[in-house]
Amino acid sequence: MSEFETLQQQLDELNTKIEQQPNCIELLFERGKLYQRLGNFGAAMNDFIAIQELDPQNKEAQEYLDFLNEILNFRNLDMYNP
């Protein structure tokens, strides 16, 4: 089984658990990190935002959001022609 298939299987299991416990911060956090590993930054951000809504003081979720925003806002100005 490839790494992608393993991660996808873990994602399917997490989705099932989250359906049963939609407000479980730990499950949302694990799924957000998994989405990030899979390159699905939008879905990862949605999970971290959901955590922030459930627990506004959650610093770890805010750190992941900040990190993802840095990735999405990155611009390499040296690659642009004037």
Side-chain angles (χ1 to χ4, degrees), residues 9-71:
Q9 182 180 8
Q10 290 173 358
L11 180 61
D12 292 341
E13 291 170 7
L14 277 171
N15 284 333
T16 301
K17 291 177 183 179
I18 290 172
E19 285 178 15
Q20 298 167 356
Q21 301 175 53
N23 294 329
C24 180
I25 290 174
E26 292 81 16
L27 292 175
L28 288 169
F29 197 78
E30 287 303 313
R31 186 173 71 177
K33 292 192 302 186
L34 188 55
Y35 275 136
Q36 181 181 338
R37 283 187 68 193
L38 289 167
N40 190 343
F41 298 141
M45 290 181 82
N46 287 339
D47 280 344
F48 297 131
I49 289 169
I51 293 168
Q52 288 282 287
E53 290 173 356
L54 293 169
D55 178 13
Q57 303 303 317
N58 192 306
K59 292 180 182 179
E60 196 169 10
Q62 185 60 52
E63 289 174 3
Y64 271 91
L65 280 172
D66 292 343
F67 175 70
L68 289 171
N69 276 317
E70 283 183 36
I71 290 172

